[in-house]
Amino acid sequence: MQQAFGLYTHIQANRRRSIFLIGALFFLVYLLVFAGALLGDALFDDASVSWLIARAWDRTISALPMATVLTLVWIAIAYKYHQRMIDALTGGHPVTRAENPRLYNLLENLCISRGMPMPSLKVMSSPALNAFATGLNERQYSITVTTGLLENLNDAEVEAVLAHELTHIRNGDVRMMIVAVVIAGVISFIAEIVFRGRLWWGQDGSNRSQRSTSDTSGKGSGGGGIAIMFAVLVIALAWGLSIVIRYALSRSREYLADAGSVELTKNPDAMISALRKIENRGELPGATSAVMELCVDNPHSGFADLFATHPSVDARIKALITFAGGIDPGPISPPEPPPPEPSQHERSDVAQP
């Protein structure tokens, strides 16, 4: 867990990462456009490698304005409608004080104590125990909690989770995560266009024959195979860089959000017991990996843990105990489901002497 001065360093680092991510987004888009142009030409035109690369470069330069405009349009749509898209995926809906005074008052008190504007509050119907924050600015910030979390956590634990999400907002983690989600969406969209590039260069080899007859000076031949391999390597490079961008979202943000929760509530025990109750019970059915990365817990195990964006619950609790005190109750098993209701036949048998 970081020291207090680390919080401000983290906020500044998040701002720099967000700017870097936007720049990386455009770079990856242009890289994929070049790979798509090279792949299309190599598939449908017999020429030397140098000629194919030069032609793909010319095509990329020509396509830059269109690629830039489409990327900006995507960013604008994501900026304005990302919350609606997340709500459509999760089923989250806004709640008022009258509808859920317990939850509303807990969040309002936390915001008043820190002098923060209160984000909108949403609830999604799910037996999973989880919560997440979204938004890019003060007008958009929102915190969503599941009904399962409200039913299984006491007031102090719910308050700790809300404080954790408020800290994500305060530290700029939410803004950076939404930017990362937008990048993942753009890269997936562009990659699909690249692999469906036959729509641009023709569905069959007819264009190849047309270009072969119309432009034959200095083009050579036999470089298609090498050019295709090079294009695939470029696409793999873009894909790898998108993974690197994902890893730029340091796991330390969860430690800092846990620390921020303790700072707001002065109750490390509540954060620890909340994590123990949420542990292995936070998977949101139907939610995408991008949404899960926003949650207070994103459970992974085995090989998938290598790609986890959250540290383990044990590691987070160990940090809380080491730097904030508190007591770990140990793993908490989910409550036993109620016994099934007896059937009419069974009730009749019991009633008979």
Side-chain angles (χ1 to χ4, degrees):
M1 192 171 298
Q2 308 295 317
Q3 299 295 326
F5 66 83
L7 292 175
Y8 299 99
T9 304
H10 181 72
I11 293 171
Q12 293 298 326
N14 274 344
R15 290 174 179 166
R16 290 194 295 270
R17 285 193 186 110
S18 297
I19 296 172
F20 168 78
L21 290 176
I22 293 294
L25 164 63
F26 283 93
F27 175 73
L28 291 177
V29 167
Y30 299 149
L31 201 60
L32 286 173
V33 169
F34 171 77
L38 181 59
L39 191 61
D41 279 336
L43 285 173
F44 303 118
D45 213 339
D46 183 23
S48 64
V49 175
S50 59
W51 188 90
L52 289 170
I53 290 177
R55 187 181 178 91
W57 178 253
D58 290 340
R59 288 180 180 276
T60 303
I61 297 298
S62 301
L64 282 183
M66 179 64 73
T68 302
V69 168
L70 289 176
T71 304
L72 289 173
V73 169
W74 183 285
I75 291 174
I77 292 174
Y79 178 85
K80 189 172 181 60
Y81 297 108
H82 72 275
Q83 185 63 57
R84 293 186 186 181
M85 290 188 278
I86 292 174
D87 289 343
L89 281 173
T90 63
H93 61 276
V95 293
T96 63
R97 187 196 303 273
E99 293 169 334
N100 198 322
R102 172 200 179 201
L103 183 62
Y104 197 96
N105 290 338
L106 287 173
L107 181 60
E108 186 180 54
N109 290 338
L110 286 171
C111 292
I112 291 174
S113 70
R114 299 302 302 181
M116 291 178 61
M118 182 169 167
S120 62
L121 191 54
K122 298 186 177 183
V123 172
M124 60 176 289
S125 298
S126 170
L129 277 61
N130 227 325
F132 59 89
T134 54
L136 290 167
N137 54 54
E138 290 185 355
R139 291 175 299 174
Q140 297 179 336
Y141 287 139
S142 172
I143 293 179
T144 302
V145 301
T146 64
T147 52
L149 185 133
L150 295 176
E151 293 167 359
N152 289 275
L153 271 61
N154 61 38
D155 284 0
E157 292 161 348
V158 172
E159 183 182 46
V161 172
L162 292 174
H164 174 99
E165 298 304 330
L166 274 179
T167 304
H168 273 317
I169 292 174
R170 178 187 174 198
N171 290 353
D173 297 331
V174 175
R175 184 188 308 113
M176 189 184 64
M177 288 296 297
I178 294 297
V179 170
V181 169
V182 171
I183 288 175
V186 171
I187 298 305
S188 298
F189 178 70
I190 298 295
E192 184 172 352
I193 288 179
V194 167
F195 283 107
R196 294 176 183 273
R198 292 185 181 192
L199 294 175
W200 292 4
W201 294 289
Q203 294 285 350
D204 50 39
S206 57
N207 287 349
R208 175 178 182 167
S209 60
Q210 291 170 6
R211 285 193 293 268
S212 297
T213 55
S214 60
D215 186 4
T216 57
S217 58
K219 64 187 297 185
S221 62
I226 297 176
I228 290 173
M229 291 178 60
F230 183 68
V232 171
L233 285 176
V234 172
I235 294 172
L237 174 63
W239 184 264
L241 288 176
S242 70
I243 293 176
V244 170
I245 287 174
R246 184 179 174 186
Y247 275 99
L249 310 178
S250 168
R251 297 185 184 189
S252 64
R253 72 184 188 282
E254 294 302 326
Y255 291 118
L256 292 171
D258 291 341
S261 173
V262 175
E263 181 190 6
L264 283 171
T265 64
K266 314 300 182 189
N267 189 353
D269 289 347
M271 190 66 229
I272 292 173
S273 58
L275 287 172
R276 283 301 185 197
K277 287 185 178 179
I278 293 171
E279 185 178 18
N280 298 322
R281 299 172 65 191
E283 189 70 40
L284 300 178
T288 64
S289 60
V291 173
M292 290 304 303
E293 287 168 5
L294 298 171
C295 291
V296 66
D297 185 38
N298 185 16
H300 284 87
S301 61
F303 179 76
D305 187 57
L306 295 174
F307 303 96
T309 56
H310 288 54
S312 69
V313 167
D314 285 337
R316 292 167 65 179
I317 289 177
K318 182 179 179 182
L320 281 169
I321 293 173
T322 302
F323 294 97
I327 299 173
D328 180 13
I332 299 176
S333 301
E336 293 290 333
E341 293 288 334
S343 65
Q344 182 65 34
H345 176 69
E346 291 172 333
R347 286 197 294 269
S348 299
D349 290 343
V350 172
Q352 291 177 359

